[in-house]
């Protein structure tokens, strides 16, 4: 009998890669996604990449729709839920806090209420290193001060606390909040990756775009930070490592009741200029760049302490910065080919 894992936001960047990892581990993802930041094509790609003859079970809808969730739980016997669905832009959350709290907090409340009704009590939650705000020191352990600097970060912390309260009140709950650092890269096949509506803000998609255009110049946000090369340092972790981290966390839930929180990173920092150099080598193109002013709100440097996750679940990130760059570049080339095909078919139609 198949073991179903309900994946909210499973058509999105990290969710789609996690679906691949689940199928490869012999589990069956059931996806709910409202497609506000994804395309349904990702679902066909998941099955293709994971070499699965079964199409992925997909429910188009919103996690705030309790009646739909009840229907999904009534249709599929669900073993556990992995909850990615949410909005994720720090800047947008500052401009639209109500929308962010509604989607991220109300969405999570709706989900756990439906799980409670259905008698499903295993949950992995996508949290973020953004709950630490500007950490005082690195590596950042799970015990570091929690000082989110945006409504987005607050929304993640609220949900972590809600899950902690649930597990405290009812011993049937087993929950793990995973605080991702900087997920990046794409599936090595080049068939799945990150889609950004409009101009990207995150560094790896910006690098992809600059390399694809060959003429576009990337602005490095600040070259005067107190770091060895003056640019910010982050912990970039390959999206397939993040995906596999969810498998490790699911196994952990089977053995451990209660609520736990883990960092998901590599445990090492990479500067903007180091990443730029690695990306240039991966695509064999020199990335044009200029050093601009600092971006408001950026911390100089932080990376994860990943010991707790390693000790508790055995998971560590296996892929390198070079893998992140070459896989992201392969995905960018797929996107560029798709854009050419779409432009040709529009021209033919005209
Ligand atoms: P994403 O936008 O690619 O994926 C989120 C998916 O959820 C999308 O497919 C979107 O259509 C869907 N969705 C959003 N709101 C929904 C709702 N109310 N109901 C149903 N579906 C909904 O983002 P991602 O990068 O894959 O991130 C996944 C999760 O991980 C998010 O919760 C995000 O906050 C968290 N996270 C991401 C990063 C990152 O850098 N990508 C870092 C830390 C944490
Ligand atoms: C990385 C570095 C930039 C673009 C964000 C969210 C965080 C989490 C992960 C969701 C920074 C520099 C970037 C560019 C640049 N998401 N940069 N030029 O800000 O570390 O984290 O994504 O939870 O909450 O805040 O990631 O990729 O935007 O930036 O120099 O054009 O690259 O200044 O130092 P960030 P990022």
């Amino acid at each position: 009998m198949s073991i179903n894992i309900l994946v909210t936001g499973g058509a999105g960047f990290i969710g789609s890669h996690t679906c691949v990892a689940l199928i490869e581990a012999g589990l069956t993802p059931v996806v709910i996604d409202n497609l506000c930041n994804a395309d349904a094509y990702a679902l066909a790609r998941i099955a293709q990449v994971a070499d699965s003859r079964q199409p992925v079970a997909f429910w188009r809808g919103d996690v705030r729709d309790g009646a739909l969730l009840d229907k999904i739980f009534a249709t599929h016997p669900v073993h556990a839920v992995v909850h990615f669905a949410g909005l994720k832009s720090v800047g947008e959350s500052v401009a639209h806090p109500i929308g962010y709290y509604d989607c991220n907090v109300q969405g999570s409340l709706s989900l756990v209420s439906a799980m409670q009704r259905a008698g499903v009590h295993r949950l992995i939650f996508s949290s973020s290193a953004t709950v630490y705000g500007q950490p005082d020191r690195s590596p950042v352990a799970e015990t570091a001060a929690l000082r989110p600097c945006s409504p987005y970060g607050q929304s993640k912390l609220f949900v972590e606390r809600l899950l902690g309260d649930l597990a405290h009140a009812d011993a049937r709950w087993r929950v793990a909040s995973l605080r991702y650092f900087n997920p990046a890269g794409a599936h090595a096949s080049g068939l799945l990756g990150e889609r950004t509506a409009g101009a990207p803000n995150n560094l790896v998609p910006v690098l992809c775009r600059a390399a694809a255009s060959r003429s576009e110049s990337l602005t490095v946000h600040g070259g005067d930070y107190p770091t060895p090369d003056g640019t910010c340092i982050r912990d970039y972790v390959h999206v397939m490592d993040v995906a596999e981290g969810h498998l490790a966390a699911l196994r952990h839930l089977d053995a451990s009741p209660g609520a736990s929180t883990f960092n998901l990173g590599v445990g090492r920092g990479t500067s903007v200029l180091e990443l730029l150099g690695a990306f240039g080598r991966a695509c064999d193109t020199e990335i044009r760049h200029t050093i601009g002013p600092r971006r408001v709100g950026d911390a100089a440097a932080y990376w994860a302490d990943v010991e707790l996750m390693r000790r508790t679940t055995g998971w560590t990130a296996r892929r390198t910065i070079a893998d992140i760059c070459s896989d992201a570049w392969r995905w960018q080339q797929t996107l560029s080919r798709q854009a050419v095909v779409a432009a040709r078919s529009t021209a033919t139609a005209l």
Side-chain angles (χ1 to χ4, degrees):
M1 214 181 77
S2 66
I3 298 177
N4 296 319
I5 309 294
L6 179 63
V7 184
T8 76
F13 174 44
I14 307 175
S16 58
H17 290 77
T18 301
C19 285
V20 170
L22 290 170
I23 296 171
E24 287 175 349
L27 302 167
T28 306
V30 173
V31 169
I32 174 173
D33 198 303
N34 65 6
L35 302 185
C36 70
N37 195 33
D39 272 312
Y41 84 88
L43 297 151
R45 292 276 177 87
I46 292 167
Q48 183 185 354
V49 166
D51 206 12
S52 163
R53 286 200 201 107
Q54 295 279 84
V56 176
F58 173 53
W59 297 75
R60 182 171 184 173
D62 201 291
V63 289
R64 286 163 289 187
D65 181 346
L68 175 64
L69 291 175
D70 288 344
K71 201 166 158 193
I72 296 173
F73 284 117
T75 307
H76 309 273
V78 169
H79 175 72
V81 178
V82 187
H83 180 32
F84 296 103
L87 302 175
K88 63 168 179 176
S89 160
V90 170
E92 205 176 60
S93 78
V94 175
H96 304 289
I98 295 177
Y100 266 69
Y101 285 119
D102 188 35
C103 186
N104 293 2
V105 180
Q106 182 56 34
S108 301
L109 198 52
S110 161
L111 177 68
V112 292
S113 306
M115 290 175 67
Q116 184 87 293
R117 290 193 294 276
V120 177
H121 294 99
R122 285 174 162 81
L123 176 67
I124 311 269
F125 171 59
S126 293
S127 189
S128 168
T130 201
V131 298
Y132 298 116
Q134 303 228 359
D136 296 325
R137 65 185 69 83
S138 283
V140 186
E142 289 80 355
T143 48
L146 300 172
R147 293 182 298 229
C149 304
S150 68
Y152 167 66
Q154 294 278 19
S155 74
K156 290 291 175 190
L157 190 52
F158 283 173
V159 176
E160 283 194 11
R161 290 194 167 142
L162 158 69
L163 299 179
D165 289 343
L166 260 185
H168 181 72
D170 181 341
R172 289 173 300 173
W173 281 92
R174 293 161 183 249
V175 301
S177 294
L178 304 183
R179 294 177 180 157
Y180 316 145
F181 277 63
N182 287 61
H187 192 268
S189 63
L191 292 172
L192 271 181
E194 184 169 14
R195 266 191 185 268
T196 43
N201 290 315
N202 290 120
L203 184 56
V204 170
V206 171
L207 281 165
C208 285
R209 201 168 125 140
S213 89
R214 286 177 190 263
S215 57
E216 222 168 276
S217 174
L218 178 147
T219 304
V220 174
H221 298 319
D224 59 350
Y225 284 98
T227 59
D229 66 15
T231 66
C232 290
I233 293 176
R234 296 286 182 274
D235 186 334
Y236 299 95
V237 52
H238 195 292
V239 64
M240 280 309 297
D241 280 326
V242 174
E244 288 162 10
H246 292 77
L247 291 178
L250 278 171
R251 282 192 294 270
H252 164 72
L253 288 195
D254 285 338
S256 320
S260 39
T261 306
F262 299 105
N263 286 337
L264 235 66
V266 171
R268 260 191 320 278
T270 302
S271 76
V272 175
L273 285 180
E274 284 169 342
L275 194 63
L276 202 140
F279 203 90
R281 287 190 289 283
C283 64
D284 203 18
T285 303
E286 197 177 325
I287 314 281
R288 290 153 53 91
H289 67 277
T290 52
I291 308 282
R294 293 182 177 193
R295 189 171 69 176
V296 176
D298 271 346
Y302 61 87
W303 58 93
D305 181 332
V306 291
E307 264 311 287
L308 183 65
M309 183 72 183
R310 189 193 62 74
R311 250 187 298 117
T312 316
T313 73
W315 175 91
T316 48
R318 296 185 291 125
R319 295 165 181 86
T320 62
I321 288 288
D323 295 328
I324 288 178
C325 295
S326 54
D327 293 341
W329 177 234
R330 202 170 297 112
W331 166 242
Q332 177 60 43
Q333 288 169 300
T334 303
L335 287 178
S336 301
R337 274 195 300 274
Q338 280 171 353
V340 170
V341 171
R344 278 203 195 117
S345 60
T346 309
T348 313
L350 293 173

